Amino acid sequence: MSIKDKKIQKNISIGEFMVIGHRGARAYAPENTVPSFEKGIKCKANMIEFDIRLTKDGHIVVMHDATVNRTTNGTGLVSQLTLKQIKDLDAGAWFSPKFKGTKVPTLGEAIAVIKGKAKFDIEIKKEPHSNDAIEEKLVEEIFKNNILEDTVVISFNSSSLERVKEIEPRVKIGFLISRNYDFEQGLRETLHIKGEAIHPEYHLLNAHLVSEAHKKGILVRPWNPNDKEEMNKLIEMGVDGIGTDFPDILRLLAESSSSFK
């Protein structure tokens, strides 16, 4: 079934709509950790989003921020810390005492938890003008773990996504854009880098823009509404998935929506 068929005619099944757990299930567990991924799966997310960065000694870890300061009991740039130094940190106690002792996962550990239970929405994080090899290492891990068909690589950095496509054209990519970025400009950039999806901040969307993207063969997966009314608006626009901190609520709304009947 083509994108046009499933969206313009409104006959998509719920199995094709991506309930995307943002950093796992960020509302219920410390973001970007194994407990958060497990909770996202329990909330019936069929895609889990998480962020990756490269350590000083060349390992991929799951971390949103450039520093470990906000989500661990440590300090410092991820890029200036070794894997061992990061693994020694507590990544759960800041969220709740019951998560004390939770560790920052590696990419491989994240894949092991999610594989076979949900698809992957992997966001590359890297500093501007960085020439690290995170794209090469990520593609290697995708093939090592046999998750090519279940993975979309996303980023705000179109050059990073373009590099992923250069390494392996079969890897699906999605261009992230925030509210200070024009959607139509973002759509042009998505097409330029041969992307399969655009992931806009949800405030940017209306039904016309969703339709325009679909006409060009591009999937639309906005992020990250946490309000039921906003989720419902997006579902009715015909988007292909939504990222949220509350995947359980989104799942219930999507399953009850007339758009999927």
Side-chain angles (χ1 to χ4, degrees):
M1 183 184 292
S2 71
I3 294 168
K4 180 178 179 182
D5 288 337
K6 71 181 183 181
K7 280 315 195 181
I8 302 302
Q9 297 178 17
K10 293 281 190 180
N11 61 355
I12 185 173
S13 71
I14 188 62
E16 295 170 301
F17 178 85
M18 291 294 106
V19 175
I20 305 169
H22 180 226
R23 305 181 201 170
R26 187 173 176 237
Y28 304 112
E31 66 180 63
N32 282 330
T33 64
V34 168
S36 192
F37 303 150
E38 292 174 337
K39 182 64 176 178
I41 293 164
K42 287 181 182 177
C43 287
K44 297 185 179 180
N46 53 359
M47 177 174 268
I48 300 293
E49 186 269 350
F50 58 88
D51 310 277
I52 59 170
R53 290 184 178 273
L54 209 59
T55 66
K56 182 179 181 179
D57 51 346
H59 295 275
I60 298 180
V61 293
V62 182
M63 179 72 62
H64 177 274
D65 297 1
T67 74
V68 300
N69 301 16
R70 180 176 62 87
T71 56
T72 78
N73 62 339
T75 59
L77 290 166
V78 175
S79 62
Q80 296 301 311
L81 297 170
T82 66
L83 178 60
K84 183 182 184 306
Q85 287 173 315
I86 290 174
K87 278 293 188 182
D88 284 341
L89 302 175
D90 186 316
W94 68 272
F95 187 89
S96 167
K98 72 177 182 178
F99 292 109
K100 183 179 180 180
T102 299
K103 299 300 180 183
V104 175
T106 63
L107 173 60
E109 289 167 342
I111 290 172
V113 172
I114 299 166
K115 184 178 179 181
K117 300 168 187 170
K119 296 182 185 295
F120 299 86
D121 204 27
I122 304 176
E123 181 177 348
I124 294 175
K125 292 286 192 183
K126 62 189 296 184
E127 301 315 302
H129 312 301
S130 169
N131 60 356
D132 67 38
I134 193 168
E135 296 89 357
E136 287 84 352
K137 291 176 182 289
L138 171 58
V139 172
E140 182 180 333
E141 284 288 329
I142 288 170
F143 279 90
K144 175 184 173 182
N145 289 280
N146 193 30
I147 59 169
L148 176 65
E149 294 304 314
D150 292 331
T151 300
V152 178
V153 176
I154 62 176
S155 182
F156 289 98
N157 186 331
S158 62
S159 296
S160 190
L161 293 175
E162 198 166 25
R163 177 61 186 144
V164 169
K165 277 291 189 185
E166 288 173 357
I167 298 164
E168 177 47 74
R170 290 176 292 172
V171 177
K172 296 183 286 292
I173 59 172
F175 186 39
L176 281 160
I177 59 172
S178 62
R179 71 173 72 190
N180 58 1
Y181 205 100
D182 179 73
F183 182 87
E184 292 181 340
Q185 180 186 354
L187 185 56
R188 289 192 294 272
E189 184 66 12
T190 302
L191 292 165
H192 174 72
I193 62 176
K194 298 180 172 60
E196 286 78 14
I198 186 168
H199 291 227
E201 188 169 1
Y202 75 93
H203 300 91
L204 291 172
L205 283 179
N206 58 48
H208 171 72
L209 293 175
V210 174
S211 177
E212 286 302 301
H214 288 156
K215 287 175 183 177
K216 293 176 170 60
I218 300 298
L219 297 165
V220 183
R221 294 177 178 145
W223 55 274
N224 280 312
N226 288 324
D227 177 81
K228 289 183 181 180
E229 184 177 344
E230 295 296 343
M231 292 179 193
N232 269 324
K233 286 179 183 177
L234 293 165
I235 291 168
E236 293 304 314
M237 286 179 200
V239 298
D240 304 281
I242 299 170
T244 179
D245 296 340
F246 296 91
D248 51 344
I249 294 173
L250 174 60
R251 168 60 65 184
L252 289 172
L253 293 173
E255 288 179 341
S256 64
S257 172
S258 60
S259 294
F260 301 101
K261 302 301 183 185

